Amino acid sequence: MKRREKIKNNNKRIIGHLAARSLRTSKTRNIFILLTIALSVGLLGVMTLAYSGTVVERNKEISVMQHVIYENLADPQIKALENTKKIDFLTLAKLGQGFEINGGMVRPVYYEEITEPIQTNSICEGTYPQNIHEIAVNRSFMNLMGLSASIGETVSLTFLDGESEAFVVAGFLEGGEVTKVYPVLFSKEYAEAGSQLKDIPYQALCRIQGAEKQSEQAFLETIRTIGADAGVERKNINENNNFSSSLTMSAIDVLVIAGVGVGILLVSVLVVYSVFYLSVAGRIQQYGQLRTLGATKRQIKALVNREGIILCIAGAVSGLLIAWLIAYCIKPQGWNWEHTLILSLVIFLADLITVFVSIRKPAKLAASVSAIEASGFSQYRQNGEKESKKILRKLTPLNLAVMSAMRNRKKTLLTMISLGVGGVLLLTGAAFIVSMTPEDYSRQGFYQWGEFVINYDYNATQTVENGNVGIQMNNPLNDELIASIQGINGVKDVLSFNKTQISYDYKDEINATDSLAPFTRENQENVKDALAEGSFDYDEMIAKDEILIANNTVADEIFGWKFEMGDIVTIRYFNGVEEVEKEFTIVGSMDTLSEQLILDKTSFTLLNKMILGLSIFIIGFSLINLINTLITNIVSRRQEFSMLQSIGMSNRQLMRMIQGEGLILALGNLVITLILGTGAGYLMVYLLRSVGATYMHYRFPSWYFMGYVLVTLLVPVFVSGASVRAFHKASLVDRLRKME
Amino acid sequence: MKILETKNVKKYYGNGDNCVKALDGVDLSVDKGELLAIVGTSGSGKSTLLHMLGGLDIPTEGSVMINGKELSKMKEEQLTIFRRRQIGFVFQNYNLVPMLNVYENIVLPLELDGNKPDRKYVHGIIDLLHLKGTETRFTNGLSGGQQQRVAIARALASKPAIILADEPTGNLDSKTSQEVLGLLKMSIKKFGQTLVMITHNNEIAQLADRIIRIEDGRICEG
Ligand SMILES: Nc1ncnc2c1ncn2[C@@H]1O[C@H](COP(=O)(O)OP(=O)(O)OP(=O)(O)O)[C@@H](O)[C@H]1O
Ligand SMILES: [Mg+2]
C-alpha cells in the first residue's frame, strides 16, 4: 500500500517535470493558447464586471433620488404625509407652468434649500433665493437671456400670461450646461405668494423606509397605501421608475449576458481545441517515444492535461487582470471588490472547465499513440490511407500544398472550421455595427417618417382660448401650407397626424384632459392588427358613437384601472361654436408598438452597447484566431519543412508552398464565413427587430468582409515569410534534429 | 582532379565549459570519381563532417570547396540550388517526406528543380533497389530498410556529381548491403560521380578506394 503511494508520487513529479519541459519548448503555441484564454476570459470579465458596475453605479445614483413623488397636494395631505412614519424623508417642491424664451424652455420651480438625502441642483455660487424678488438660475440661462453671468444682475421675465416681473439673481445653480430646459428657482416666499407659483399645488418628494429591501410589487403597494391613507389619489402618486425597476434585477440583461458568455466559451473551446490538436499532432513522435519508454496512456493524458491547466491558469489570471482594468475604466463609480472577486471566480471556473473540455480529445489522441509510431514521422497518421491513387502528380510548391492539405484532410477541415467560426463571429458582429446606423437609431418615434416635425407652438397652445382647438379653428397647418411645403425642392412627402383636445369623465376621473385622434377607413386593417382587446366595425363605430382606447396599459400604470370594453365614457370638447358633451362606448383597445418601444428602450440601450462592444471585441478575437491558427499550423510542422529544404527546396519554394496552404485554408474559411456569417447576421437582425429594434436593417458588411478577406489572404503571406526567416536562426541540421 | 576540398574545418557547438568540438581542424580532399569511406566511433564527428561537405551547415572556422567554389561564399538561395543539382544526400535518418509516396519522394529534388524526371532511369533504380511495387505507398508504412533504400534512390535520381551518404547500409542485411554498394559503385562509374560514405561496417569500408578514420573531430589515418 505504502509502496504504491510512493510510486504514484514519483509519477506525479515526472509528469510535472515533463509538462514544464514541453511548455518551455513550444513557446509560440503557448503564446497563442494564452492569448485565446486571456481574450475569452477578458471578454467575459469586461462584460460581467461592466454590467455589475452599471448596476452598482445606478444604485448609487438612486440612493440620492426620491422613491416617490406625491403630486397635487393640499395642506391637509401634506400634514398627513409628514406624519407618516414609513416616510423617512420628505421635501416639498413646486413645478410651475413652463414657457419659452428665445427658443429655450424656462421652468419656474421651487424646492427647499436643503433636500439631502435627495439630490437637487444646489447653489454653487451666491445664495439660495431668500425673498420674493430673488431667483437662482443656471449660468447658461443668463446666456440665453443675453445677460452677463454675475450675481445681483436683474432679470425681467415675461410669463405665459404676458405679465412681466423683474428679479434679482441671488445665486447660480449647479450643472445645466447643455440643456434645453432652464429651471428658475424661486424663494419660499414666492412659492407661497408669487403669481406663477401660488396657485400651483405642492408636491412631496419622499424616501420610504426600507424601500430598498422590498420587491417592486411590495414597494408599489406601500407607496399607494401611504398615498391612500393621506388622501392622495392614485394618479397623483408618481413612483421613481428608475428605482422601482431596479428592485427586480432585469432578467433579460442577465439572460443576455449568460447567453453571450456561453457563446464566448464555446468559441474558446473550439480555438483551444484546435490549437492543442495541432500541437499534439505535431508531437506524435514524442508521445510515441514516451510510450516506448514505458509511459502509460494515462500518464500521457495527464501530461497533456497538466500543460492545459498551467496555460489556463496563466491565461485566465492575465485576462482577469486586464478585465478589471477595463471594467474600472468604463465604470469607475461602479467598482465593487466583492462583486469583482465573486464574478472573477465564476469566470475562472467556467474557463477551467472550458479548457478541460477542449483538451479532452487532443489528450486522448496523444495517449492513443502506439510505441511503434515513434519510429516514423507521423503527423499523417490520422489518415488510414496507405497508398496514393495517382502515380505522378506534378510536384510544384502549390501542388505540394494541395497534397499536404489533402493528405491530412481532418486537420485541414478542423483548421478551416476553427477559422470559419472566427469569421462567422466577425461577420455577425460587423453586421450588427452596419445594420444599426445612428441615423436609424435617432429616427425612432416621429422621425422614422421624416426629418422635420411642424406643430403648434407650445406657448400658443397654452395661451390661446380653447387651447389646441382654438388654434385648430383657424388651422395654420392647412392644405395650402402643406401644398407649399410639398412644393419646396427636396421635399418628398408630407405626412399629417391629427388629434383634438378633449376632456372626459370615466370612473374616478372627472374632466380629465386627453386627446382624440381619427383613423380612416383605409387604415382600419392596420388598426385591427394592433387591437389588443375587443373588435370593431368601421360603419358601426360611426353610427353608434364608439371609440377605441390607445395605450390602455398606460392608464393601468397611472390610474390603477383600465378602460373596460362596453363601458360608457363622457367626452366634452369644443366644436368650434360651443362646448359639447357626448357619450361614447368603448369597443376596443390597443397597445401600440411605439409605446412598446418606450418600455423596452431602457433595457435595450444597455443591450445595444453590450453587443456593440462585443462585436468590436469579437472582431479582434477572430483576427487573432486567424493568425493564431495559421502560425500554429506552420510552427508545428517546422521539422517537415526543414526536411524539404534539406533535399533542395529553396526558401522561395517553401514560402510559396506555405502560402498555398494558407490560401487553401483561407478559401475554405471564406466559404464558411460567407455562408454562415451572412445567415447568422441576418438572423440576429431579424431577432432584434422582432423584439422591437425596428431601426435595425440588415446590411451586408461588405467593407468589413473585404477587410477580412484581405487579412485572411495577407496573413499567410506575411506569416510564411516571417517563419521562413525565423527558421534561419537555426541551421538546417539543427532544425532537422530538433523536434518541436 | 580534386572535386571536394576542406581546409582546417572546425565546428564547435555551444561555448565555454559546454563547448563540444565536433570537428577540430579537418583537412580533406576527394578526387573526382573516388569512393571514400569515413569510419570512426560514434560521436566522433562523421555526420557533422558530411553535413559540412554538403553545405547543410556552416563551419565555425575553415572552408569547404566543391569544384573550387567556396560554399560559405555562396548566397543561401544559390547554395540550395547548387546543392540540389550537384549533391545527392542520404541522411542517417532518411528524411523522407510523409505526405508524398515513394515515387514522389524519389523524384522530388528533380521536380523542385523544375526538371522532368528521366522515368526510365528512375524506374531502373527502383528495380535495382528492390523497391518495385512500393512506388505508390506512403513512406511511413515502409520498413526501416525500405525507407533507407528510398533515400538512396532519391540521392541517385538526379544523377548528382557528388553523393554523400550517411550510413547508407546501416539498416540492411549483409546481402542487400553488398547489392546496394554494387549499385552505388556502378552508378559512380557510369556517371563519373564521387561518393563519400560513412559506415560502421568494415566489410563495406573495404570496398572503398580510400578509408579515413575520424577520432574526436580529427582525421587520424589518411
Ligand atoms: N547540434 C548539435 N548541438 C550540440 N552538439 C552537437 C550537435 N550536433 C552534433 N553534436 C555533437 O558533435 C559530436 C559529433 O556528432 P556527430 O553526429 O557528427 O557524430 P557521428 O560521428 O555521426 O556519430 P554516429 O556514428 O553516432 O552517428 C557529438 O559529440 C555530438 O554530441
Ligand atoms: Mg552520424
Side-chain angles (χ1 to χ4, degrees), chain B residues 46-48 92 166-167 198:
Chain B
K46 305 182 295 293
S47 293
T48 309
Q92 196 166 9
D166 200 341
E167 291 190 48
I198 295 172

Side-chain angles (χ1 to χ4, degrees), chain A residues 150 366 369 495:
Chain A
S150 51
V369 176
L495 293 172

Side-chain angles (χ1 to χ4, degrees), chain A residues 6 508 561 584 657:
Chain A
K6 205 168 174 194
D508 54 353
W561 45 254
F584 288 88
M657 180 179 136

Side-chain angles (χ1 to χ4, degrees), chain A residues 59-73:
Chain A
N59 286 344
K60 270 188 194 162
E61 275 167 17
I62 288 168
S63 72
V64 294
M65 281 188 191
Q66 81 282 356
H67 294 153
V68 56
I69 303 176
Y70 293 104
E71 293 170 347
N72 227 341
L73 301 175

